[in-house]
Amino acid sequence: MSTITAAITAVGAYVPDFVLTNEILETMVDTNDEWITARTGIKERRILKDDSKGTSYLAIMAAKDLMAKANLNPLEIDLVIVATATADMPVAATAAYVATEIGATNAFGYDLQAACSSFLFGMSTAAAYIQSGRYKKVLLIGADKMSSIVDYTDRATCIIFGDGAGAALFEPNYEGLGLLDEYLRSDGIGRDFLKIPAGGSLIPTTIDTVKENKHNIIQDGQTVFKYAVTNMADASEQILKRNNLTNEDVDWLVPHQANKRIIDATANRMNLEEEKVLMNIQRYGNTTSATLPLVLNDFEKQFKKGDTIIFAAFGGGFTWGSIYLKWAYDKK
């Protein structure tokens, strides 16, 4: 029997209509376009303005985009994983609702949370289900409504994050294409440097936690930047060494879109030419779990069957890693 690998066979995406530009942010906090661009590479980000809609809406829209493009019958989907840091609710799984709303009534679903590494870790999970032989179609969605946890008076964070969703379908492959290796890591030292302090079991929600603004994301920017640069670059270098790959073997780097300087540092460590490094951070900002699939969707037409793609991400916790994947199809 041929070895089963898990390949991405379709992608989809969704971003809200409202564009929050650097110029608009200048009217909200003490910042300016030149400062934001120089330090992050971000020019604009998308915001879901409708308060009645949550992360599930973004995920559903991305899934529907994928299904329409791939002519996929939702009844064929075995599993829906929603990678997210901003679930609709603390208990009810967002993925269960998303699966029902898209018509994937034969699927089971659950959420996966590893901050900005959620989609990367979700790729590993989806691939494992496929490689087990038990399931044929796993839909992995990365979605986050970051505007729901951002303090728009905090110039350190409000310039970074945006809302969006992307989706990827994983299916069995017998040609040696798909996910071939992974290097995934975590370190609890990061717990205090990038977090939402209250709202969990450690510090439950009270009137005081709301008054003290403890339900929005905070980060120690310098510390997170230092760890992100080192670990994303290390993981990417490690995955190359483990698979005897050189920079010449790599067709594309798909990095987490948190900061252009972090992406540049990772690419430099891998000695990659600029044209191999895929970026859309200038358009969307950091959409957390959605960054990797949004890149896949935006650049899908450039990928060729057999292309070597290296994924890299870093997130709160800390969580980080790299994945080596062979692209499985040519976009028609």
Side-chain angles (χ1 to χ4, degrees):
M1 183 177 177
S2 300
T3 301
I4 302 173
T5 52
I8 293 174
T9 57
V11 296
Y14 175 78
V15 291
D17 293 331
F18 181 78
V19 180
L20 178 59
T21 64
N22 289 349
E23 287 73 23
I24 294 175
L25 280 173
E26 288 178 7
T27 69
M28 299 166 60
V29 291
D30 182 17
T31 191
N32 60 72
D33 173 66
E34 182 181 4
W35 190 91
I36 297 171
T37 304
R39 284 160 179 78
T40 68
I42 301 168
K43 284 290 188 181
E44 58 190 42
R45 64 291 289 150
R46 301 297 185 94
I47 303 296
L48 182 58
K49 298 287 281 186
D50 189 340
D51 290 337
S52 69
K53 295 174 180 175
T55 292
S56 62
Y57 174 78
L58 301 169
I60 289 165
M61 296 300 287
K64 287 183 175 179
D65 181 54
L66 181 150
M67 292 189 299
K69 288 163 61 178
N71 194 26
L72 174 65
N73 181 348
L75 295 176
E76 297 177 357
I77 299 171
D78 299 306
L79 166 62
V80 176
I81 302 172
V82 173
T84 185
T86 56
D88 280 7
M89 302 177 187
V91 175
T94 301
Y97 178 71
V98 169
T100 298
E101 290 298 300
I102 65 173
T105 53
N106 291 323
F108 68 104
Y110 60 84
D111 300 347
L112 190 156
Q113 209 281 68
C116 292
S117 300
S118 295
F119 190 86
L120 187 82
F121 286 16
M123 290 175 67
S124 171
T125 306
Y129 277 111
I130 294 296
Q131 290 165 347
S132 75
R134 293 181 180 178
Y135 304 103
K136 302 298 183 185
K137 296 182 189 294
V138 177
L139 180 62
L140 173 64
I141 307 168
D144 270 305
K145 185 182 178 182
M146 293 303 293
S147 61
S148 67
I149 57 171
V150 166
D151 176 0
Y152 284 94
T153 66
D154 176 12
R155 67 174 185 173
T157 56
C158 73
I159 65 169
I160 298 170
F161 295 102
D163 302 337
L169 181 67
F170 284 77
E171 296 186 86
N173 183 277
Y174 301 94
E175 302 175 273
L177 303 174
L179 197 155
L180 301 183
D181 196 16
E182 60 186 44
Y183 182 84
L184 308 179
R185 292 292 183 270
S186 62
D187 187 343
I189 195 173
R191 184 178 171 98
D192 291 329
F193 301 119
L194 179 55
K195 63 183 179 181
I196 297 174
S201 61
L202 186 64
I203 306 176
T205 304
T206 65
I207 292 174
D208 288 336
T209 63
V210 173
K211 287 180 178 178
E212 293 165 10
N213 199 26
K214 290 185 176 180
H215 295 271
N216 288 319
I217 192 166
I218 60 171
Q219 71 169 350
D220 178 339
Q222 287 186 326
T223 301
V224 172
F225 179 84
K226 181 183 71 174
Y227 276 94
V229 166
T230 301
N231 290 320
M232 259 182 68
D234 283 349
S236 301
E237 187 177 45
Q238 191 70 235
I239 207 81
L240 295 184
K241 287 181 178 178
R242 280 176 28 162
N243 292 279
N244 297 313
L245 299 171
T246 70
N247 61 319
E248 296 297 323
D249 298 315
V250 177
D251 294 297
W252 309 103
L253 172 66
V254 176
H256 171 51
Q257 310 287 301
N259 185 301
K260 186 178 183 298
R261 292 186 294 167
I262 297 173
I263 296 171
D264 289 343
T266 302
N268 289 338
R269 179 78 73 85
M270 298 171 69
N271 197 25
L272 285 184
E273 299 96 323
E274 187 176 344
E275 57 268 21
K276 291 185 176 183
V277 183
L278 302 183
M279 277 192 282
N280 56 15
I281 189 173
Q282 68 279 6
R283 297 171 57 202
Y284 306 131
N286 182 354
T287 54
T288 304
S289 308
T291 63
L292 298 182
L294 280 175
V295 171
L296 290 181
N297 187 76
D298 281 0
F299 293 93
E300 181 187 18
K301 292 180 180 178
Q302 295 187 30
F303 300 151
K304 298 289 184 284
K305 184 176 180 179
D307 277 0
T308 293
I309 303 178
I310 303 297
F311 294 79
F314 180 89
F318 291 127
T319 59
W320 71 94
S322 184
I323 280 177
Y324 164 35
L325 178 139
K326 286 277 190 181
W327 196 248
Y329 65 96
D330 296 317
K331 177 64 176 173
K332 295 178 183 179

